[in-house]
Amino acid sequence: MSTTSKSGNEKRSVAASLGVLLLALTMILPFLWMLSTSLMGELEVYQFPPRFLPSTFRWSNFTEALTLQPFGRFFLNTAIVAAASVAGQLLFCSMAAYAFARLRFRGRDALFRAYLATMMIPAMVTLIPAFLLIVRFGWMNTYWALFTPMISSVWGIFLLRQFFQTIPKDLEDAARIDGASEVAIFWRIILPLSRPALATLGIFAFMGSWKDFLWPLIVTNRTDMRTVEVGIANFSSMYQTDWPHQMAAAVVVMLPIVLVFFFAQRYFVRGITTTGMKG
Amino acid sequence: MTRFAAFLLCFAALSLVRGQERVTLRLVDWASLEEMPIDERTVAAFEAKYPWINVLYEPNPGRQYEEKILTGLAAGEPPDVFLLDSKLIPTFTNKRVLLDLAPFIGPLGIDTAQWYPNVLGIARKGSALFAFPKGFTPLMVYYNRSLFRSAGVPEPRPDWTWDDLLATAKALTRDDDGDGTPEQYGTAFTNYYFYWIPWVWSAGSDVVSPDGTRATGFLNSPATEAALAFPIALRRTEHVAPDVGSWIQAEKTGTNYALFANGKIAMIVDGHWRLPKFIRFIQEGTLDVGVAPFPRSPGGSKVNVMYESGWCVPVNAPHPKEAALLAAFMSGEEACRIRSSGRLEIPSVRSVAEESVGSDPTGLERVFLDEVPFCRQPWGSVIERFSEIEWTLQDAVDEVMVNNAPMHETMTRYARRVDNELAEIRKAGSTEFTPLKERSEILTFLWIALGAVTTVSAVIYARSKRGGQGGLALGFLAPSMLHLVVFTATPILFAAYLSTHRWDMVVPDQPFVGLQNFREMFTDPSFWNALGNTFIFSLHVPVGMLVALGVALVLHTRLRGLGFLRALYFLPSVSSFVAIALVWMWIYHPSFGAANLFLSIVGLPKLEWLNSSQTAMLSLMLFSVWLGLGYQMVIFLAGLQGIPGELYDAARIDGAGKFARFRSVTFPLLKPTTFFILVTSLISSFQVFTTVYVMTAGGPVGSTDVIVYHIYKAAWEQLRMGYASAVSWVLFLIIMLATWLQFKTVGSDVDYQ
């Protein structure tokens, strides 16, 4: 390979990196705006031309936003739902995905397509009947109503099945020859090899239940059973919206997901280094 | 009905005998966070007065209040007392959802003379009364006194006219730097029917005939067109009002209010609900606000609109007498007095309203009260489902104001559309309902779904006897299958059943209508418009995926150490959607937004973004690419990291260059990931809803109406759950077909080795 083409390559990859950095900037600007709004006074919000920094940093917006409503309780409720949802989806989705990716049985593909088909009905239509069921079960205002719809997802099954399919079969075949059961192969080989995918699913399951709005609103009547996203929405009433407090609450509610993302990110990296496939 | 009457009798007899049976009632309203403590105090006063009644107060401050009430009614478990906007009263009474409160007035000793008669009249139908009024408001002109003073403009007189308003607005519009874009505007105008109907009325005209059956000859009459031309001209030709976008943008971002509060607009038209905040500003000395009545038309009479809400009781309330007692108390003198401290509305009780004028140091309350005799009942509280017509009327104004369509042709076209819609509503409304008929039991559908899945499992199990791992697979699949049966299959079956039935949600009746829902769908031009828009919208998916793949490759190979960059790209996915959509509505603002700022910096012409039928969809697509980038990139990254490193090493040993390595290793091994992202992103783009709901509400003029938004409107605004289910089934089939095509063309399953 000649040196000129090499430096051309270098240039191109520097340009690519720069492009990615610039694009990242457009990702963060709206959030800086959100953050700055959360620190503004009521009349300062949306000045024209817009102000990028508050005249004085009103940190009290944050304490007010979190005490105007029982946000501690909202966080607790949401954390319970999110934990159940992550645990449920990691277990149930990976089990189903294993069956679809690795087990041989007749009707497998047809069944998988039937699973997929259920993703295609818009949530707007399943909302009412699912709610009717919750009422019949007597689960209104309970954690059961909040988390049971979240503990499995076809999206997650689809995700994991796609990943399981990329795992080389020789490892399991070797284990099978050693007499390992399918359950053991699933638990000891497939799952450890799928950490990046599991981390991905975990993040999305956490996020899904953390950001869910319409369902928790509909299956709860009492303030003490509500979740953080409902709390944020409550700052918009019929006639006006309290933007500084709403933005402050939105920023605080975002933090746990960002933390979870950072935490799970390590697993992405560890996922590649410890898959055992190098050995 | 007889069952209900018997129930009522039994109850009355029982309460005579036992008298003080302890009763618990649920009370629901849309109180904002500031309003909640006031209502809690009112409830406490009620409980103190009637110690045997326990009230569970359940406020729902957000904008999904109607959905909340409707789901409660759909499940047959509505609250015992709830607040209802007057625009829903005709729909609810026609469907016999509300209890007639008139029979309770005598026995409970309720004094109906305490209320303003025109306010009480809103919920009257013949001799029946379906709500006790809580409060109401006309539309008034708030003005910034300091701006008037510094411009030397006299404040509005109580009998001012449109011409006075225009002259005042001109005098208060200032373009100091002479660039053609004023720094300060005289007034503001948005397209929303709710705000502009008083202009039409005050010109002595109307949008529909007095009996509410047709719009032709009214919406396109010279007087109505002249009345509409006036406020539209404030923005389009006189330039005394800023281009604030559609109502949905102005309202959601609070543009009008914010511009007014910051002294950039001198006068705004708004309701009493702004008063508490303005009184606070006056007392803090931050803003000097005055209130003037709605200006009268030079030729027309003095008239204003009256927006009202009242306390209702559902027809199947288990404790009707106690519920009526609570509803009456919440509207009564004591409650109004407690509420009037918050100054959120004009109290419905006349004596309290007059007291509140006395206790108001700013004198603004007086101006409101002087307007009461001229207040007229809005069409929404007379014609069933008029809120749908309001959207159509808003589109008509948009056509003229945003798309520069000619006035008379546009109004004539829209008048015909409104005629059809009114006829449809009357036709649908004429169906007789049998109150309290048993609703179809959702558990039946659960049993059917369970039965079907058990059969499928049994077949798989039986087949596995002849080889295969069917039994084992069933074990692995059991939890997800059960979950699917309960939360997806049962609802889907129910939707399938509903698609051939009519269900208004608020009544148990579900008459069989055959394929009528499908016929209605295929002959409805707005369905086809929404379908076409959905296809156009989904085109953003491949574009977004290309960008996401590029970013993922760079992050994976070049910037591997920079974990925080990954987190940055993921930020849009983690944030509260409502908050981030709001920020983008500001970015897209034609006069003040960052998007146009950027365009002007790089020397490109400014765009109207969300404000024009030509660019609104494009704006939503751009936003969606931005929003979905993190999701797609994270999955691409996870896919890239699942590719064993030694394959690259092997390729490198074989002498493969960078591109060859991408083509021979990355691309094929990333295929399942790519396929996954494509399928899931396309499905969710076909199901796009929240973006449209929050940012454009389908506008301008239907240019961003998509299928799921069409479904939403059918279900929640028109209460046509059967129709909504039918559309969902069509969408379902379309997505199935699209997914099947993807499986056939790009998705042939990739197996390693």
Side-chain angles (χ1 to χ4, degrees), chain A residues 13 16-17 20-21 23-24 26-28 30-31 33-34 42-43 45-48 50 69 92 95-96 98-100 103-106 111 113 115-122 124-129 131-133 135-136 148-149 151-152 154-155 157-159 161-163 165-166 168-170 182 186 200 203-204 207 211 213-214 217-218 220-221 226 229 232 234-241 243 247 250 254 257-258 261-262 265 268 272 277, chain B residues 26 32-33 58-64 68 71 74-75 77 252-253 257 259 261-262 264 273-274 277 280-281 441-442 466 468-470 472-473 475-477 479-481 483-484 486-488 491-492 494-495 503 505 547 551 554 558 563 565-576 579-580 582-583 586-587 592 626 629 631 635 638-639 641 644 646 672 675-676 679-680 683 687 689 716 721 728 731-732 735-736 739 743 749 751-753:
Chain A
S13 64
S17 305
V20 167
L21 284 170
L23 202 56
T26 70
M27 293 285 136
I28 201 170
F31 294 95
W33 197 343
M34 237 171 104
E42 197 182 340
L43 286 183
V45 181
Y46 310 129
Q47 288 214 340
F48 298 100
Q69 296 180 75
F92 298 149
M95 283 168 68
Y98 182 72
F100 285 129
L103 299 180
R104 281 166 292 103
F105 59 97
R106 295 180 71 174
L111 190 63
R113 264 157 221 182
Y115 264 59
L116 271 195
T118 62
M119 276 173 84
M120 299 163 199
I121 281 274
M124 200 51 67
V125 185
T126 52
L127 183 75
I128 293 269
F131 171 74
L132 295 180
L133 277 174
V135 172
R136 279 298 162 277
T148 46
I151 53 171
S152 171
V154 174
W155 183 87
I157 294 169
F158 188 16
L159 176 87
R161 171 186 176 266
Q162 297 303 97
F163 274 94
Q165 281 181 342
T166 62
K169 281 214 175 92
D170 16 355
E182 288 295 333
F186 167 68
T200 310
I203 290 175
F204 282 105
M207 238 166 57
K211 289 174 61 180
F213 168 66
L214 202 52
L217 176 77
I218 286 191
T220 60
N221 291 327
R226 295 224 148 132
E229 200 63 30
I232 294 178
N234 280 352
F235 286 106
S236 306
S237 66
M238 236 31 164
Y239 303 114
Q240 47 207 2
T241 298
W243 292 126
M247 290 297 180
M254 237 173 101
I257 321 185
V258 176
F261 185 78
F262 270 113
Q265 202 169 238
F268 288 165
I272 30 170
M277 287 199 290
Chain B
R26 284 172 55 218
S32 66
L33 294 176
E58 296 169 354
N60 273 283
R63 287 158 202 250
Q64 274 69 29
K68 189 73 193 153
T71 45
E77 294 199 353
K252 287 225 161 112
T253 54
Y257 164 74
L259 287 165
N262 285 315
K264 299 282 180 182
W273 49 79
R274 297 272 182 228
K277 202 157 254 182
R280 211 187 70 219
F281 289 156
E441 180 52 63
I442 186 77
R466 284 179 272 142
Q469 298 163 299
L472 190 65
F476 272 98
L477 288 170
S480 63
M481 233 183 225
H483 184 266
L484 219 54
V486 175
F487 290 108
T488 318
I492 289 176
F494 189 66
W503 188 33
M505 290 221 284
V547 180
V551 173
V554 172
R558 292 272 132 207
L565 265 183
R566 268 175 259 172
L568 278 192
Y569 276 95
F570 206 55
L571 272 179
S573 308
V574 303
S575 64
S576 159
I580 209 65
L582 180 89
V583 173
W586 280 88
I587 290 176
F592 316 105
W626 179 84
L629 206 54
Y631 161 78
I635 300 193
Q641 287 165 357
E646 71 260 31
F675 180 61
F676 172 82
V679 170
T680 54
I683 290 178
Q687 296 182 356
F689 168 71
W716 298 100
M721 200 61 199
S728 311
L731 177 65
F732 173 71
I735 301 178
M736 278 276 272
T739 311
F743 265 98
D749 286 353
D751 258 328
Y752 196 78
Q753 282 166 348

Side-chain angles (χ1 to χ4, degrees), chain B residues 574-626:
Chain B
V574 303
S575 64
S576 159
F577 182 85
V578 173
I580 209 65
L582 180 89
V583 173
W584 271 83
M585 283 159 87
W586 280 88
I587 290 176
Y588 280 146
H589 198 287
S591 327
F592 316 105
N596 272 348
L597 185 72
F598 174 78
L599 286 182
S600 65
I601 287 173
V602 298
L604 289 169
K606 289 183 173 184
L607 288 177
E608 284 292 308
W609 300 108
L610 297 168
N611 284 1
S612 136
S613 316
Q614 275 86 47
T615 49
M617 184 53 97
L618 193 72
S619 314
L620 293 189
M621 288 163 75
L622 196 63
F623 169 69
S624 301
V625 167
W626 179 84

Side-chain angles (χ1 to χ4, degrees), chain B residues 235-526:
Chain B
R235 196 157 132 183
R236 268 193 57 204
T237 50
E238 304 286 349
H239 301 293
V240 295
D243 189 356
V244 287
S246 67
W247 169 75
I248 190 102
Q249 293 169 70
E251 195 259 0
K252 287 225 161 112
T253 54
T255 317
N256 284 349
Y257 164 74
L259 287 165
F260 178 76
N262 285 315
K264 299 282 180 182
I265 295 182
M267 302 180 279
I268 54 166
V269 173
D270 223 327
H272 196 284
W273 49 79
R274 297 272 182 228
L275 199 58
K277 202 157 254 182
F278 287 154
I279 288 183
R280 211 187 70 219
F281 289 156
I282 294 171
Q283 284 165 346
E284 287 169 358
T286 43
L287 198 66
D288 194 0
V289 185
V291 171
F294 200 87
R296 64 167 80 213
S297 138
S301 56
K302 175 134 184 75
V303 64
N304 206 323
V305 66
M306 168 168 52
Y307 294 120
E308 180 252 6
S309 57
W311 296 101
C312 303
V313 177
V315 74
N316 57 346
H319 308 289
K321 196 184 90 182
E322 281 76 5
L325 192 64
L326 176 59
F329 182 87
M330 293 304 290
S331 309
E333 195 177 330
E334 195 176 344
C336 273
R337 198 161 285 131
I338 296 172
R339 288 187 56 81
S340 75
S341 64
R343 298 197 183 283
L344 294 147
E345 70 256 311
I346 303 181
S348 56
V349 173
R350 187 196 286 264
S351 60
V352 181
E354 272 151 18
E355 279 168 30
S356 75
V357 169
S359 65
D360 168 31
T362 61
L364 302 185
E365 201 81 72
R366 172 86 265 158
V367 191
F368 273 90
L369 229 61
D370 288 344
E371 199 74 352
V372 175
F374 308 104
C375 287
R376 182 183 149 180
Q377 184 170 358
W379 280 118
S381 67
V382 182
I383 302 173
E384 181 173 346
R385 280 164 56 185
F386 193 74
S387 51
E388 292 160 48
I389 309 287
E390 292 181 3
W391 286 109
T392 311
L393 293 170
Q394 175 178 317
D395 279 353
V397 166
D398 262 352
E399 287 268 23
V400 176
M401 185 167 65
V402 180
N403 293 354
N404 298 325
M407 176 69 89
H408 184 64
E409 284 82 344
T410 309
M411 290 306 151
T412 307
R413 191 153 48 87
Y414 274 88
R416 269 203 300 275
R417 240 178 86 180
V418 172
D419 289 348
N420 292 337
E421 287 176 10
L422 285 170
E424 281 294 318
I425 291 172
R426 269 199 311 279
K427 208 176 92 199
S430 63
T431 316
E432 263 306 304
F433 289 98
T434 343
L436 291 181
K437 191 184 141 195
E438 282 304 310
R439 71 196 61 233
S440 59
E441 180 52 63
I442 186 77
L443 290 178
T444 317
F445 296 92
L446 179 62
W447 300 135
I448 297 172
L450 267 179
V453 168
T454 315
T455 315
V456 169
S457 308
V459 170
I460 290 175
Y461 186 73
R463 279 178 171 185
S464 74
K465 295 248 158 95
R466 284 179 272 142
Q469 298 163 299
L472 190 65
L474 285 177
F476 272 98
L477 288 170
S480 63
M481 233 183 225
L482 184 66
H483 184 266
L484 219 54
V485 163
V486 175
F487 290 108
T488 318
T490 305
I492 289 176
L493 275 179
F494 189 66
Y497 167 83
L498 281 185
S499 68
T500 56
H501 290 72
R502 217 192 114 180
W503 188 33
D504 300 63
M505 290 221 284
V506 294
V507 285
D509 249 13
Q510 291 159 346
F512 178 74
V513 294
L515 294 176
Q516 192 195 321
N517 287 326
F518 292 91
R519 267 199 300 275
E520 277 173 23
M521 177 193 330
F522 293 128
T523 53
D524 184 354
S526 70

Side-chain angles (χ1 to χ4, degrees), chain A residues 26-217:
Chain A
T26 70
M27 293 285 136
I28 201 170
L29 276 176
F31 294 95
L32 295 181
W33 197 343
M34 237 171 104
L35 192 65
S36 116
T37 303
S38 70
L39 293 166
M40 282 182 181
E42 197 182 340
L43 286 183
E44 255 184 304
V45 181
Y46 310 129
Q47 288 214 340
F48 298 100
R51 294 183 67 110
F52 289 101
L53 282 177
S55 57
T56 48
F57 288 75
R58 295 171 60 114
W59 296 103
S60 58
N61 282 349
F62 279 82
T63 45
E64 284 158 17
L66 298 180
T67 48
L68 272 169
Q69 296 180 75
F71 253 95
R73 179 75 199 208
F74 295 168
F75 269 105
L76 176 74
N77 293 341
T78 319
I80 290 171
V81 176
S85 151
V86 171
Q89 289 202 30
L90 287 183
L91 182 64
F92 298 149
C93 293
S94 61
M95 283 168 68
Y98 182 72
F100 285 129
R102 280 298 196 261
L103 299 180
R104 281 166 292 103
F105 59 97
R106 295 180 71 174
R108 180 181 77 172
D109 291 348
L111 190 63
F112 179 63
R113 264 157 221 182
Y115 264 59
L116 271 195
T118 62
M119 276 173 84
M120 299 163 199
I121 281 274
M124 200 51 67
V125 185
T126 52
L127 183 75
I128 293 269
F131 171 74
L132 295 180
L133 277 174
I134 293 293
V135 172
R136 279 298 162 277
F137 295 163
W139 284 357
M140 278 298 282
N141 288 316
T142 64
Y143 287 116
W144 290 99
L146 288 169
F147 78 75
T148 46
M150 306 279 192
I151 53 171
S152 171
S153 84
V154 174
W155 183 87
I157 294 169
F158 188 16
L159 176 87
L160 293 182
R161 171 186 176 266
Q162 297 303 97
F163 274 94
F164 290 172
Q165 281 181 342
T166 62
I167 296 172
K169 281 214 175 92
D170 16 355
L171 284 170
E172 313 160 44
D173 291 341
R176 239 172 237 126
I177 290 163
D178 292 347
S181 71
E182 288 295 333
V183 176
I185 289 169
F186 167 68
W187 197 253
R188 301 236 172 83
I189 295 175
I190 297 289
L191 285 190
L193 283 178
S194 309
R195 269 193 211 138
L198 290 173
T200 310
L201 176 60
I203 290 175
F204 282 105
F206 184 87
M207 238 166 57
S209 45
W210 199 262
K211 289 174 61 180
D212 200 14
F213 168 66
L214 202 52
W215 181 255
L217 176 77

